[in-house]
Amino acid sequence: MRLQIEKVVYGGAGLAHQAEAGKAVFVPFTLPGEIVEAELSVEKDAYGGAELVRVIEASSDRVAPGCVHFGACGGCQLQHAEYSAQMRMKAGILRESLERVGLVELPEVQSHGDAFWGYRNRIRLRIAEMDGALRLGYNRRGSNEFLPIQECPIAAPLLWRAASALLKLAETDKGAERWLRGAVEIEFFSNGDETKLQMTLFVRGALSADLKGLCERLRVVVPELVGAGVSILAKESALRSRRTERPAAGASWGAEGLLYRAAGADYWVSRGGFFQVNRFLIDTMVRLVTEGREGRLAWDLYAGVGLFSKALAKAFERVVGVEGSETAAADLAGTLKGPRTQAICASTVDFLRHTVIQRERPEVVVMDPPRAGLGADVCELLVRLKAAELVYVSCDPVTLARDLKVLVDGGYALVELHLVDMFPQTFHQETVVVLRRGA
């Protein structure tokens, strides 16, 4: 079918409408204004999905992808778009997501970007054997099928260099080969300047092999390696969702984490612990969330290792960081050691239920929830709390819009809206929203 692309939607596909039926059709790897030929691949009552056959009239924003695996790999969706066009499309998606729930009085979207290649400080790769050789890769687009890769340009160069070195080592080293054949995935995490590296091997069931020997031999060619560990996954399914997986700790070598320098401070991040993934924009994120805010008390909810808590502690008499993950909460406690700070291991909803009935009220509440957002219970408790200012960091515009509608209906006004492009070349986006009570 011949289609004209109207816009790009959340998820990265271009939206068009069939001329005859007026049905919406979503076509990946297309850009607004383009005329394309596409082949229908999915047909539902209300919409269809199609695969791009060829571009008949290309957008001036179309560029050659920067990775040989683009299109086959499930990791990136927007490499065919010039970077400023990616930013414009994401800003439009953010605004439309908010308007769709009835938030029409919106501040201007302020966009923040930086280097758009080599930005990831963490990658997690699958391990498989193909044609008699061990390979590392990701999932093929839209499936769980293994895709072997030979490069990943959005990853910090150290990460792919380490992955390649490990594969090379396994060609001649029986110990390395044993580990890779026994593992299903491997993760590499580096600090911002690529001087320190952590490695995690994910295995199904216990694996008896010499981790120390593997790491010492790998460190000869990757001297940045400071620590490694084994995570033992459940045996029942190799395709179990990472979000529901609760691995057990196995053998370890070297440091249990690494010191990450960001926004003028040092943060201890345990192996496997969460930290913002874009090494070039972390400082910008901290500045947007904390700069110019001061007072008696601030809360940092979903605090992680304390990225925002530590910056807030410079300007507030007291800062409370709240984190539900035991691993991250332990790192948070190490970050918030001063007499004016407190680290609490608890879910945000439990913390708010307990504190909302207390007299103590923070001037500022910072929130950086996972993709699922705050949810109705947390939003309603925040409305009851009546803090003067809320700063909401979101990685999903749909759940963000849902939550903001509750907060605005509860008496808050949106006063700042920042798009921070933490995930260039992909459809993912990060947003910082500032809300003030009665503004």
Side-chain angles (χ1 to χ4, degrees):
M1 67 184 78
R2 181 185 174 103
L3 298 169
Q4 180 160 14
I5 305 301
E6 300 163 17
K7 62 183 178 181
V8 169
V9 300
Y10 188 60
L15 169 67
H17 284 86
Q18 286 178 293
E20 301 82 9
K23 180 186 291 187
V25 181
F26 299 96
V27 190
F29 314 123
T30 57
L31 296 173
E34 290 188 329
I35 297 175
V36 303
E37 182 183 339
E39 184 174 348
L40 200 65
S41 56
V42 176
E43 189 164 14
K44 304 287 186 180
D45 290 340
Y47 67 92
E51 292 297 315
L52 178 65
V53 175
R54 67 186 178 99
V55 178
I56 299 170
E57 292 184 18
S59 166
S60 59
D61 293 323
R62 180 171 286 274
V63 296
C67 176
V68 297
H69 304 295
F70 180 66
C73 177
C76 293
Q77 300 80 32
L78 298 177
Q79 287 189 23
H80 60 296
E82 194 270 329
Y83 184 57
S84 64
Q86 293 184 31
M87 295 280 280
R88 290 196 304 273
M89 289 187 291
K90 290 183 180 184
I93 288 167
L94 173 60
R95 180 171 287 278
E96 186 174 308
S97 298
L98 301 183
E99 290 174 345
R100 189 176 294 120
V101 299
L103 297 172
V104 292
E105 295 183 9
L106 299 175
E108 180 184 355
V109 178
Q110 301 177 56
S111 296
H112 309 265
D114 206 301
F116 43 91
W117 297 109
Y119 64 86
R120 288 192 65 94
N121 57 28
R122 187 190 305 267
I123 57 172
R124 183 162 165 175
L125 299 155
R126 290 179 61 183
I127 306 169
E129 183 177 345
M130 295 191 72
D131 301 323
L134 288 166
R135 301 291 301 273
L136 299 178
Y138 296 123
N139 285 345
R140 284 190 178 275
R141 179 172 63 95
S143 76
N144 287 317
E145 182 184 347
F146 177 74
L147 174 72
I149 65 168
Q150 63 190 52
E151 65 176 359
C152 184
I154 65 172
L158 172 61
L159 304 183
W160 185 247
R161 176 161 61 84
S164 299
L166 185 58
L167 274 181
K168 186 71 174 175
L169 184 64
E171 292 176 2
T172 57
D173 187 291
K174 293 297 183 183
E177 182 186 16
R178 179 176 173 81
W179 272 112
L180 287 187
R181 289 191 181 280
V184 293
E185 289 184 306
I186 186 166
E187 181 175 274
F188 294 99
F189 172 58
S190 77
N191 59 350
D193 61 5
E194 301 180 274
T195 57
K196 293 182 173 63
L197 178 73
Q198 280 284 342
M199 176 176 72
T200 305
L201 290 151
F202 295 87
V203 303
R204 297 279 171 193
L207 178 63
S208 177
D210 180 14
L211 181 65
K212 178 182 178 183
L214 168 69
C215 294
E216 288 178 346
R217 292 189 293 277
L218 181 60
R219 196 175 185 184
V220 172
V221 288
V222 187
E224 297 88 349
L225 185 67
V226 296
V230 177
S231 285
I232 304 171
L233 305 174
K235 292 183 180 181
E236 58 266 27
S237 171
L239 299 177
R240 188 173 177 179
S241 169
R242 291 179 187 174
R243 295 181 184 179
T244 60
E245 193 79 69
R246 293 293 181 268
S252 65
W253 169 86
E256 293 296 323
L258 54 78
L259 207 61
Y260 202 115
R261 183 80 178 167
D266 292 322
Y267 298 86
W268 177 258
V269 186
S270 293
R271 186 185 311 115
F274 172 78
F275 202 72
Q276 293 287 350
V277 75
N278 189 316
R279 62 197 182 106
F280 301 127
L281 280 174
I282 294 174
D283 290 13
T284 297
M285 178 77 77
V286 174
R287 176 179 60 79
L288 292 173
V289 171
T290 66
E291 190 174 69
R293 296 183 170 87
E294 59 184 5
R296 181 183 50 83
L297 174 63
W299 290 352
D300 182 11
L301 309 180
Y302 312 91
V305 302
L307 179 64
F308 303 129
S309 301
K310 198 163 190 174
L312 290 167
K314 298 175 184 178
F316 283 83
E317 295 176 17
R318 187 161 164 260
V319 173
V320 177
V322 181
E323 172 55 47
S325 161
E326 292 183 5
T327 299
D331 290 344
L332 177 65
T335 298
L336 301 183
K337 289 181 177 178
R340 296 161 49 200
T341 59
Q342 181 182 7
I344 296 176
C345 182
S347 71
T348 291
V349 70
D350 287 344
F351 171 77
L352 288 175
R353 281 172 179 157
H354 175 73
T355 55
V356 78
I357 61 175
Q358 308 297 321
R359 292 184 178 181
E360 192 173 45
R361 291 290 185 267
E363 288 100 324
V364 174
V365 179
V366 171
M367 306 158 292
D368 185 7
R371 195 168 302 282
L374 301 175
D377 289 345
V378 169
C379 287
E380 289 167 7
L381 288 165
L382 288 168
V383 168
R384 286 176 58 192
L385 184 71
K386 296 182 179 179
E389 189 171 61
L390 306 177
V391 184
Y392 189 160
V393 181
S394 167
C395 59
D396 188 303
V398 177
T399 57
L400 171 68
R402 176 203 66 199
D403 293 340
L404 290 181
K405 185 66 166 67
V406 178
L407 296 173
V408 168
D409 289 348
Y412 284 92
L414 305 180
V415 294
E416 292 180 32
L417 192 54
H418 300 271
L419 170 66
V420 188
D421 194 25
M422 301 292 276
F423 311 98
Q425 317 303 339
T426 82
F427 73 86
H428 299 289
Q429 56 178 263
E430 198 93 0
T431 309
V432 177
V433 185
V434 179
L435 303 100
R436 294 200 184 106
R437 187 146 194 96

